[in-house]
Amino acid sequence: MAQKPSIPKGTRDFSPIEMAKRNYIFNTIKDVYALYGFQQIETPAMENLSTLMGKYGEEGDKLLFKILNSGDFMHGMTGEEVANTSTLKLASKFCEKGLRYDLTVPFARFVVQHREELTLPFKRYQIQPVWRADRPQKGRYREFYQCDADVVGSESLLNEVELMQIVDTVFTRFGVRVCIKINNRKILTGIAEMIGQADKIVDITVAIDKLDKIGLDAVNAELAADGIPADAIEKLQPIINLSGTNAEKLQTMRSVLKDSEIGLKGVDECEYILSKLTDLNNAIELDLTLARGLNYYTGAIFEVKALDVQIGSITGGGRYDNLTGIFGMPGLSGVGISFGADRIFDVLNQLDLYPKEAVNATQLLFVNFGESEADYCLPILAKARKAGIRSEIYPDSVKMKKQMSYANAKQIPYVAIVGESEMAEGKVNLKNMITGEQQMLTPDELVAAIC
Amino acid sequence: MAQKPSIPKGTRDFSPIEMAKRNYIFNTIKDVYALYGFQQIETPAMENLSTLMGKYGEEGDKLLFKILNSGDFMHGMTGEEVANTSTLKLASKFCEKGLRYDLTVPFARFVVQHREELTLPFKRYQIQPVWRADRPQKGRYREFYQCDADVVGSESLLNEVELMQIVDTVFTRFGVRVCIKINNRKILTGIAEMIGQADKIVDITVAIDKLDKIGLDAVNAELAADGIPADAIEKLQPIINLSGTNAEKLQTMRSVLKDSEIGLKGVDECEYILSKLTDLNNAIELDLTLARGLNYYTGAIFEVKALDVQIGSITGGGRYDNLTGIFGMPGLSGVGISFGADRIFDVLNQLDLYPKEAVNATQLLFVNFGESEADYCLPILAKARKAGIRSEIYPDSVKMKKQMSYANAKQIPYVAIVGESEMAEGKVNLKNMITGEQQMLTPDELVAAIC
């Protein structure tokens, strides 16, 4: 036999059971998005490279999959010209299109391109694969799905509130206990302003984040090593030691940031959002060390951690101003979240939380003992399907053992066995594959037994 | 403002309403596939070019989208080497991966790669986009979805029967009247054998297909012009004039093909399939001019035509032997169908057959008159969502007119208006946007009115 075929590294095939689980995840998220008035869009896998380049930093440009132009991609270049051109420039000459790298830039492009047709605020969700030429490693793929929801064209904090409700509802439906962490870029800017160290805010959050692990003295030593002056470290003490309820934390921050207009704005925003989220099923916690996407987000920042599984953030998002400015349509504020489907898949697997009915495929298999038995079964099979029972008949009349292995492999819970005696009686022998129990039933009784 | 961004030619964005319609199509097909015991798989967008090349003919190879290797795709080639290498060879040097061109070859690759994990017969369905560097034109795209179901590892004609039942069920659910046409490659081979013109079978079917339009004499003239000898044309007369019920046609064919073993096998197969399909909602018709995928199919051939819209075939398929032979796993027979999602989309649009509930998004919008009104609405909004009503609150407190335009643009059927008097009474003013009717309701009454 020839060498087994394979797929490109970093990509995956999804088997029926994996697909069923993934569909359960996507459908749950979709249902909740729709419940909150978000509408689905899709954009093409390929975008013009001019749309994608320069949007993800220099490193991101290198991670774009580029598509070779069809036909004469060399444009009649001579060998000499090729030899004298850099690889990166040649790539731009040979390729006009690339695969999308995320859903955010295509969404911004979509909003600008279709602005005449859209009514703002525009609440869209999008669940599609993205591609990155990252080095593949455990849990990092070159093709993976993103599940984003964003609102553009509204600065109201009610959007932030609803996104947190969506997160809470989705994980409640999954049965996963989570902690929702929120922060605000404006608070971080306020802190940096207050201590006169605007460029050190990432170092500061990284150091503060270690408090539990290394203790206060070590955190202060790290801040000093980062070049933060002693008086600034002094001013940071109430922030490093920040604890208590969200209300207590906000009170402390309000007093620490009393001279920073933007800092107080951030405190106000957090307070408003938290005040509307008093009846969530999951905990929501103000966490100043949350600094995700700091170059990107301008207001609220969110992150979700699973409580019962050791894994990184499983959902994240925040508010960004001027998303569409890169495409010449300035002044549109947006806020969004993104569920990490691959990590949620792992979490649900580890906690064994997939509902049986979500992953069950065929419910009923008719064993096939030959043409006359099959002929007897076909109208009953049709009746079962009409009642909505996912059913099949084994297509070939082969050994019983093979047919039962098939039922086991597909985890089919019911098998209908029809031989001469069943045909004579006008009945079906229904075997419950889990209990082993068998019953002689009329076709109507069979349908009723499974429905 | 900068130039409007755009997408590559031949690709499409899908708006919320288009997505809702497409989801209705895909979900209907998925539900029916699952009802018949088919299970979903997905394969990566990118396959190794070694998997794809040579599978679609020379023309197909040219239509593959190839992905430039990351990093130094030039492999240190000198300008001279580049200048001395053909564009096609360079493309193979610069690219290891390509975008999938259909779902059939990736499926064959999947079956061979995962053969140890699969239980045969394997009934899979797959709904994913494919990409072809075809010249874009009306109705032909460079990115489009295919919706395939195939059974591999079973030669039983019950599979053909069930695929036709699936077709019948899907179009019944859509409300589209269709004619299902079936043919059999073995019959065509028998005809060619009988008249000693094996290589002329396509010419023959093309000519016969024109009977209604140009008449018998012109058909015979065309056959002669194609180089078919007079005695062969004479033998073809009963086939050209084939008419009547399926049973009558089969009887004629059985007598015409009495000396061709393979031809009679084809007649037997058609007879068996038709005998099991007596209670379809749609007509099924033996059509000898059906010659789709003739180099590919080895048994049954199917095609579906819409009766009430002028459009090409909207579904097709057939049996092929040895699908996985190209990947070194011979002897596996398969049979499959493929729904043409783009054409079905057009048909349902033209006949206006989308059910309202399938394309309706948000059901209820709360108008936002300010913070205290919004605060009053939020728990009612939560109650509505808990009851499964897709609801939103307009996030910003802007002019009523703007909020009502939003409701109209999103075709939201109910708007809840809450001002001071409603708050005082503990009620909500619910406006039916279609009838214009308004009612003062308690929150519970509001939920009941919409559910």
Side-chain angles (χ1 to χ4, degrees), chain B residues 337-358:
Chain B
I337 48 169
S338 185
F339 285 92
D342 286 306
R343 284 187 175 168
I344 292 171
F345 181 89
D346 289 344
V347 168
L348 296 188
N349 261 339
Q350 282 189 49
L351 300 177
D352 195 17
L353 286 176
Y354 291 101
K356 262 214 188 72
E357 61 277 14

Side-chain angles (χ1 to χ4, degrees), chain A residues 38 107 122-124 148-164 273 296-302 316-323 332-338, chain B residues 395:
Chain A
F38 286 78
F107 173 54
F122 182 48
K123 299 168 78 168
R124 89 84 171 79
D148 287 15
D150 292 81
V151 189
V152 290
S154 165
E155 291 174 18
S156 165
L157 294 171
L158 276 181
N159 297 301
E160 276 83 341
V161 170
E162 298 219 312
L163 289 172
M164 296 303 91
I273 294 168
Y296 186 68
Y297 293 124
T298 51
I301 305 173
F302 330 115
R319 180 171 287 275
Y320 42 83
D321 290 327
N322 210 12
L323 171 71
L332 218 52
S333 185
V335 57
I337 48 170
S338 184

Side-chain angles (χ1 to χ4, degrees), chain B residues 134-152:
Chain B
D134 254 321
R135 189 203 296 270
Q137 57 183 57
K138 194 181 172 315
R140 191 202 279 165
Y141 304 100
R142 292 184 144 192
E143 172 180 67
F144 58 97
Y145 273 73
Q146 292 192 332
C147 314
D148 288 15
D150 293 81
V151 189
V152 289

Side-chain angles (χ1 to χ4, degrees), chain A residues 332-382:
Chain A
L332 218 52
S333 185
V335 57
I337 48 170
S338 184
F339 285 92
D342 285 308
R343 283 185 176 169
I344 292 171
F345 182 89
D346 290 345
V347 168
L348 295 187
N349 260 339
Q350 282 189 48
L351 300 176
D352 195 17
L353 287 176
Y354 290 101
K356 260 213 189 74
E357 61 277 15
V359 293
N360 253 1
T362 301
Q363 298 161 279
L364 171 63
L365 174 74
F366 285 83
V367 165
N368 186 340
F369 284 150
E371 194 174 340
S372 62
E373 288 84 352
D375 280 345
Y376 176 88
C377 290
L378 288 179
I380 308 174
L381 173 62

Side-chain angles (χ1 to χ4, degrees), chain B residues 184-194 257-270 298-299 321:
Chain B
N184 196 296
R185 169 63 189 267
K186 293 181 179 119
I187 293 181
L188 297 178
T189 304
I191 294 171
E193 225 181 66
M194 175 193 75
L257 293 172
K258 63 183 184 302
D259 297 325
S260 164
E261 194 184 332
I262 190 161
L264 289 176
K265 183 89 183 5
V267 174
D268 286 343
E269 289 186 11
C270 279
T298 51
D321 289 327

Side-chain angles (χ1 to χ4, degrees), chain A residues 79, chain B residues 74-86 90:
Chain B
M74 299 285 292
H75 303 295
M77 281 178 88
T78 65
E80 198 182 352
E81 284 165 338
V82 170
N84 291 327
T85 312
S86 74
L90 280 179

Side-chain angles (χ1 to χ4, degrees), chain A residues 135-390:
Chain A
R135 190 202 296 270
Q137 56 183 57
K138 193 183 172 312
R140 191 202 279 165
Y141 303 101
R142 292 185 143 192
E143 172 180 67
F144 58 97
Y145 272 74
Q146 292 193 330
C147 314
D148 287 15
D150 292 81
V151 189
V152 290
S154 165
E155 291 174 18
S156 165
L157 294 171
L158 276 181
N159 297 301
E160 276 83 341
V161 170
E162 298 219 312
L163 289 172
M164 296 303 91
Q165 289 174 333
I166 286 174
V167 165
D168 187 61
T169 307
V170 164
F171 287 108
T172 301
R173 290 193 180 185
F174 284 145
V176 174
R177 299 192 316 132
V178 298
C179 177
I180 304 171
K181 299 183 172 218
I182 73 161
N183 193 10
N184 196 298
R185 169 62 189 267
K186 293 178 180 126
I187 293 181
L188 297 177
T189 305
I191 294 171
E193 225 180 66
M194 176 194 74
I195 60 168
Q197 302 283 331
D199 55 329
K200 290 278 163 59
I201 190 64
V202 171
D203 292 338
I204 294 170
T205 59
V206 167
I208 297 177
D209 197 27
K210 295 181 183 166
L211 182 67
D212 284 349
K213 252 188 231 153
I214 64 177
L216 183 61
D217 291 348
V219 168
N220 286 334
E222 183 163 324
L223 289 170
D226 286 336
I228 317 261
D231 62 327
I233 295 177
E234 187 54 38
K235 283 188 191 163
L236 281 172
Q237 295 309 298
I239 294 168
I240 300 173
N241 283 306
L242 196 70
S243 66
T245 64
N246 291 328
E248 285 163 354
K249 286 180 184 173
L250 284 171
Q251 201 177 4
T252 306
M253 292 312 299
R254 192 174 291 286
S255 112
V256 171
L257 293 172
K258 62 182 183 304
D259 297 326
S260 164
E261 193 184 331
I262 189 161
L264 289 176
K265 183 92 182 9
V267 173
D268 286 344
E269 289 186 9
C270 278
E271 195 163 50
Y272 177 89
I273 294 168
L274 290 168
S275 76
K276 305 288 178 203
L277 293 171
T278 48
D279 58 354
L280 296 186
N281 296 305
N282 290 286
I284 184 161
E285 186 191 307
L286 180 66
D287 180 352
L288 293 189
T289 68
L290 196 64
R292 80 179 261 130
L294 209 52
N295 296 320
Y296 186 68
Y297 293 124
T298 51
I301 305 173
F302 330 115
E303 210 168 278
V304 179
K305 299 276 286 183
L307 294 183
D308 302 313
V309 175
Q310 283 282 2
I311 200 164
S313 154
I314 54 179
T315 292
R319 180 171 287 275
Y320 42 83
D321 290 327
N322 210 12
L323 171 71
T324 53
I326 41 173
F327 296 115
M329 188 183 177
L332 218 52
S333 185
V335 57
I337 48 170
S338 184
F339 285 92
D342 285 308
R343 283 185 176 169
I344 292 171
F345 182 89
D346 290 345
V347 168
L348 295 187
N349 260 339
Q350 282 189 48
L351 300 176
D352 195 17
L353 287 176
Y354 290 101
K356 260 213 189 74
E357 61 277 15
V359 293
N360 253 1
T362 301
Q363 298 161 279
L364 171 63
L365 174 74
F366 285 83
V367 165
N368 186 340
F369 284 150
E371 194 174 340
S372 62
E373 288 84 352
D375 280 345
Y376 176 88
C377 290
L378 288 179
I380 308 174
L381 173 62
K383 188 189 272 281
R385 285 179 178 148
K386 215 156 232 160
I389 300 169
R390 296 184 299 279

